[in-house]
Amino acid sequence: MYLLKALEGSIELGLLYVLMALGVYISFRILDFPDLTVDGSFTTGAAVSAVMITYGYAPFIATFSGFLAGAAAGTITGLLHTKGKINNLLSGIVMMIALYSINLRIMGKPNTPLFGESTVFSAIPDGYFLFIVPIVIVIFKLILDAFLHTDIGFALRATGDNQRMIRSFGVNTDSTIILGIALSNGLVAMSGALVAQYQGFADISMGVGMIVIGLASVIIGEAIFGHKTVFRATLAVLLGAIVYRMVIASALQLNMNAEDLKLITALIVVAALILPKIQKSIGQKRKMLERIKEVNSTVDSKGRDINA
Amino acid sequence: MLEINHVTKLFNANTVDEKLALSNVNLNLAPSDFVTVIGSNGAGKSTLMNIISGVLKPDDGNVKIDGVVVNKLHEHQRSKWIARVFQDPMAGTSPNMTIAENLSIAYLRGHKRTLKRGLNKEKKLYFKEQLERLGIGLENRLNANVGLLSGGERQALSLLMATFTKPKILLLDEHTAALDPSRAELISNLTEKVVKEFNLTTLMVTHNMAQAIQLGNRLIMMDKGQIIMDIPPSKKKGLTVEDLLHEFAAIKGEELNDDRVVLG
Ligand SMILES: Nc1ncnc2c1ncn2[C@@H]1O[C@H](COP(=O)(O)OP(=O)(O)OP(=O)(O)O)[C@@H](O)[C@H]1O
Ligand SMILES: [Mg+2]
C-alpha cells in the first residue's frame, strides 16, 4: 500500500515535469541548442507564480505569467547567442546565473510558501488528479505536435537540422532560434510553476540540475519508446519524464540516500547515451562476422573462388 | 536581370593572410541567360556566388537585381529571388524531415511563414506531380525522411526545391561534383531540363569543361579573382575543349594546369 502511494506520487510529479522535458526536447533535440537557461527559468516560473498567488492573483493567471517570464528569459538567451554571437552553452550559463539573482529579487527571499493558498490543483476534486492532469498534459503535447507541423514549426525544425538550407529559403534563423528557445523556457517555467503549486512552495534552488533531469527524461523516453516521427518523439518525452520519476522513487524506496539522487541522474544520462552505441557496435560486429563467414564459404580451401 | 559592378573582395585585409578573392569583377546577365563558370581552384568562383547570394558582402562595388542595388540585403532576404544548389548533397535539404516537409519549406520561398498547417492534401498532390519530373521514383516516397536518400537522390530533390517556385536567379556551385559519373549525368540533364522549363537565369560553376560547353548559352572563365574570358552565345555553339585551352594559353601565356579540371 505504501509502495503504491509512493508510485502514485511519482507519477503525479512526473506529469508536472513533462512540460519541462518537452521544453528541453525543443532546445536540445529540435534546435540542437544545449540550453542551460533551464536551471534558472524553472525557478523563475515557480517564483513568479508563487509570488502572484500570494498577492491574490488567480492561479491560472499566475501560472501563465510563469510561462511568459520563462519565455522572456529564453528570448534573452536567444538574443545573446544570435545577436551577441556568444556560444550557445555560454549564453545559457550566463543567463542561468543572472536568473539566480533575478529569482531572488522576484521572491524577495529564498523561499515562498504557498500553504493555505488556492492553486491550480485546488480546482481538481479529490482523487481526480490522475484523471484530469494527464488529459491536460496530453493536450499540451498535441498542441506542440500541431505547432511543429505548421509552416513556422517546419522552419524551426529545419533550423536545428540545417541552418544553411533554411536560410537559403528565406528564413531568418536568428528569429527561429530565439522563438524556439523562448518557447522551450516558457514550458520549463510553466512546469516550475506547477511543481511549486503542487509541493506548496517555491524555492530558490528548486531548478538546480533541472537540465540534466530534462535530458534524462528525453533520453530515457527516446530509448524506450522510439522517436521516428515528431508525434512519437514528444510521446516518448512525455512518458520518459514519468518513467524518470518512477526510477527515482524506486531508488528512494531501496533506501538510497536522497543526496545521491543527482549522481544517479547523471549516471542514468551517461548510461542512456552510451548503451545504444555499444548495442549498435555489437550488432555491427555480429553482422560483419556473418558476412565474413558468407564470403569465406564462397572460397574453397585452396583460396579459389568456387563461383568463378 | 543580374548586374555585378566593380565587385572586389579582399579577405583578411592588411594581414599575412590577405587574399584578393575578387578583383573589380563586372558581369551582366540578361533574363534567361544560362552562364557556365569555369576556372582553377581558388579563382574566386564560390566567392562570386556567395557575394551574389548575400552570404558575403562585397568590400567594394555592388550587386543589382532588376536594377536595384541589393548590397544591404541579407541572404535570407535575397532568397526571394535567388535559389542555390550546393556541392555537398547534404547542404540543400533537412535530413530529419520528410521529402514532403522539405518541399513544403521550399514552396514558401519569398512568402511569409505562418501558423498554417505546413502540409495538406492539395500540397502533397502538387509535390507528387513535381517529383515526377525527376523521374527517379521519389514521388512514391513523400513521407520518407530525406536522410534516407542517396546523395544523387538528395541532389535531385535539392535541385527541384531550388527551382520549382521559379526564382529569378539560380546559382549552382559544382552541384554535380560530389556524385559518381552516372548520377552526375542525371543531375546535369535534370538541370538542363528544369532551367529550360522554368526559364531561369542561371549561373553554374563546374570543373567539368565538357559540361561547361554542353550546358548553357554563355561561358565565362575566371582566374585569380578576375573574369578572363567571356564567350557570348554567338560563339558558344561549336566550342570545343581544345578551343578553350587555346584561348586560355593565349590570354595567360601559360598552359592551363589544374588537376581538378576535367578535360573529357
Ligand atoms: N572566408 C574566407 N576567408 C579567407 N579567404 C577565403 C575565404 N573564402 C575564400 N577564401 C580564399 O579566396 C580565394 C577564392 O576562393 P573560392 O572559394 O572563391 O575559389 P573557387 O574558385 O570556388 O575554388 P574551387 O574551385 O576550389 O572551389 C581562395 O584563395 C580562398 O582561399
Ligand atoms: Mg568553389
Side-chain angles (χ1 to χ4, degrees):
Chain A
M1 198 56 227
Y2 177 67
L3 204 87
L4 215 66
K5 197 79 203 148
L7 195 68
E8 194 185 318
S10 68
I11 292 175
E12 287 183 3
L13 205 53
L15 283 165
L16 305 183
Y17 279 101
V18 166
L19 295 181
M20 186 275 294
L22 286 174
V24 170
Y25 166 75
I26 292 172
S27 56
F28 259 85
R29 282 293 190 251
I30 294 189
L31 279 178
D32 197 18
F33 187 125
D35 176 27
L36 302 191
T37 312
V38 169
D39 276 26
S41 60
F42 187 81
T43 313
T44 304
V48 166
S49 70
V51 167
M52 283 182 73
I53 286 172
T54 57
Y55 274 99
Y57 283 93
F60 284 100
I61 292 176
T63 306
F64 184 65
S65 303
F67 173 89
L68 293 181
T75 302
I76 297 173
T77 304
L79 285 170
L80 288 176
H81 174 61
T82 56
K83 307 296 180 196
K85 312 263 182 254
I86 300 174
N87 159 292
N88 52 14
L89 266 175
L90 203 57
S91 310
I93 292 175
V94 166
M95 200 54 210
M96 173 182 90
I97 293 297
L99 283 175
Y100 188 86
S101 298
I102 293 171
N103 293 337
L104 269 176
R105 284 272 179 189
I106 292 170
M107 295 197 287
K109 51 190 189 249
N111 190 297
T112 303
L114 285 172
F115 299 114
E117 303 280 358
S118 81
T119 67
V120 286
F121 304 113
S122 313
I124 300 174
D126 259 359
Y128 278 88
F129 189 101
L130 283 183
F131 182 69
I132 291 171
V133 176
I135 293 175
V136 174
I137 295 295
V138 167
I139 288 173
F140 268 99
K141 170 219 165 355
L142 293 176
I143 292 174
L144 180 61
D145 288 347
F147 169 69
L148 291 173
H149 284 96
T150 63
D151 290 324
I152 292 179
F154 282 177
L156 191 74
R157 286 161 62 197
T159 300
D161 226 10
N162 188 347
Q163 282 201 27
R164 186 166 161 206
M165 167 264 188
I166 191 68
R167 268 201 298 270
S168 82
F169 288 109
V171 171
N172 182 348
T173 49
D174 286 0
S175 309
T176 46
I177 289 171
I178 293 168
L179 172 72
I181 298 301
L183 179 63
S184 161
N185 282 288
L187 288 172
V188 169
M190 187 142 85
S191 177
L194 294 177
V195 170
Q197 292 172 61
Y198 180 81
Q199 68 188 14
F201 60 90
D203 185 87
I204 189 65
S205 65
M206 66 191 279
V208 175
M210 203 45 64
I211 188 62
V212 184
I213 295 175
L215 201 52
S217 308
V218 170
I219 293 171
I220 291 171
E222 287 180 345
I224 303 180
F225 306 103
H227 54 103
K228 266 226 175 87
T229 61
V230 168
F231 183 87
R232 275 280 286 284
T234 53
L235 181 67
V237 171
L238 189 159
L239 296 171
I242 297 169
V243 170
Y244 171 79
R245 279 294 144 195
M246 289 164 68
V247 170
I248 293 298
S250 324
L252 287 176
Q253 288 297 313
L254 295 172
N255 283 331
M256 245 183 236
N257 209 326
E259 279 94 62
D260 294 336
L261 283 185
K262 297 244 151 63
L263 178 63
I264 294 168
T265 305
L267 289 176
I268 292 174
V269 171
V270 170
L273 285 174
I274 292 177
L275 285 179
K277 281 186 201 143
I278 295 175
Q279 217 173 11
K280 202 166 151 200
S281 78
I282 290 174
Q284 275 166 354
K285 179 99 193 184
R286 202 185 51 226
K287 274 205 193 110
M288 191 176 82
L289 288 177
E290 276 166 16
R291 178 68 191 146
I292 286 175
K293 232 188 236 161
E294 227 175 86
V295 171
N296 280 341
S297 72
T298 62
V299 177
D300 72 8
S301 55
K302 294 195 182 90
R304 280 176 313 209
D305 190 340
I306 53 177
N307 291 331
Chain B
M1 169 65 68
L2 174 67
E3 261 179 77
I4 293 152
N5 299 313
H6 307 289
V7 163
T8 294
K9 184 74 198 175
L10 182 64
F11 287 114
N12 309 317
N14 297 318
T15 69
V16 284
D17 295 326
E18 186 173 279
K19 175 80 207 176
L20 186 61
L22 291 176
S23 161
N24 196 16
V25 170
N26 291 292
L27 183 67
N28 206 328
L29 262 62
S32 66
D33 256 354
F34 184 167
V35 181
T36 52
V37 184
I38 55 174
S40 44
N41 293 122
K45 305 178 297 294
S46 298
T47 305
L48 181 63
M49 299 295 222
N50 286 333
I51 289 215
I52 296 170
S53 62
V55 173
L56 295 173
K57 299 271 142 83
D59 294 319
D60 194 20
N62 63 49
V63 177
K64 282 188 189 173
I65 298 176
D66 278 344
V68 181
V69 177
V70 296
N71 283 22
K72 288 228 166 65
L73 297 184
H74 294 290
E75 180 190 4
H76 67 266
Q77 294 166 316
R78 292 189 205 182
S79 74
K80 204 187 297 177
W81 311 291
I82 301 177
R84 305 188 74 180
V85 181
F86 306 97
Q87 175 176 355
D88 177 4
M90 307 291 179
T93 48
S94 176
N96 288 312
M97 298 177 75
T98 66
I99 292 179
E101 288 171 342
N102 269 275
L103 281 163
S104 164
I105 285 173
Y107 185 69
L108 286 186
R109 174 194 299 284
H111 292 276
K112 218 173 145 45
R113 286 162 211 270
T114 64
L115 289 176
K116 272 211 213 90
R117 257 174 69 198
L119 283 171
N120 55 34
K121 268 223 178 83
E122 296 95 78
K123 269 197 193 173
K124 280 196 174 178
L125 213 65
Y126 175 66
F127 294 159
K128 227 175 163 141
E129 274 168 28
Q130 294 296 319
L131 284 165
E132 276 165 11
R133 285 173 192 280
L134 301 178
I136 49 175
L138 291 185
E139 61 273 14
N140 303 319
R141 300 169 69 186
L142 228 45
N143 295 322
N145 269 5
V146 170
L148 300 171
L149 304 185
S150 73
E153 287 169 337
R154 266 201 223 190
Q155 207 62 335
L157 179 62
S158 304
L159 186 65
L160 182 66
M161 286 168 60
T163 55
F164 80 128
T165 50
K166 306 197 175 95
K168 276 194 197 302
I169 296 159
L170 175 63
L171 304 179
L172 306 167
D173 193 350
E174 300 191 46
H175 71 307
T176 63
L179 307 174
D180 65 59
S182 67
R183 291 286 176 172
E185 166 114 18
L186 171 82
I187 300 297
S188 188
N189 292 338
L190 278 174
T191 305
E192 196 170 14
K193 190 175 142 198
V194 295
V195 167
K196 196 176 275 166
E197 270 179 34
F198 297 139
N199 197 20
L200 305 173
T201 308
T202 305
L203 207 52
M204 179 179 103
V205 175
T206 176
H207 272 280
N208 183 326
M209 287 225 186
Q211 190 187 36
I213 288 170
Q214 182 207 333
L215 295 178
N217 65 342
R218 188 173 155 194
L219 185 151
I220 61 177
M221 184 185 277
M222 291 186 69
D223 190 57
K224 305 206 172 74
Q226 292 185 308
I227 296 177
I228 57 164
M229 194 191 293
D230 188 343
I231 298 171
S234 56
K235 292 206 191 138
K236 174 127 191 303
K237 282 216 173 89
L239 192 73
T240 64
V241 172
E242 285 73 36
D243 294 342
L244 275 182
L245 296 176
H246 266 126
E247 282 277 341
F248 183 82
I251 294 170
K252 299 291 293 181
E254 56 183 291
E255 291 288 311
L256 182 59
N257 187 8
D258 181 349
D259 289 342
R260 283 191 66 212
V261 172
V262 183
L263 298 176

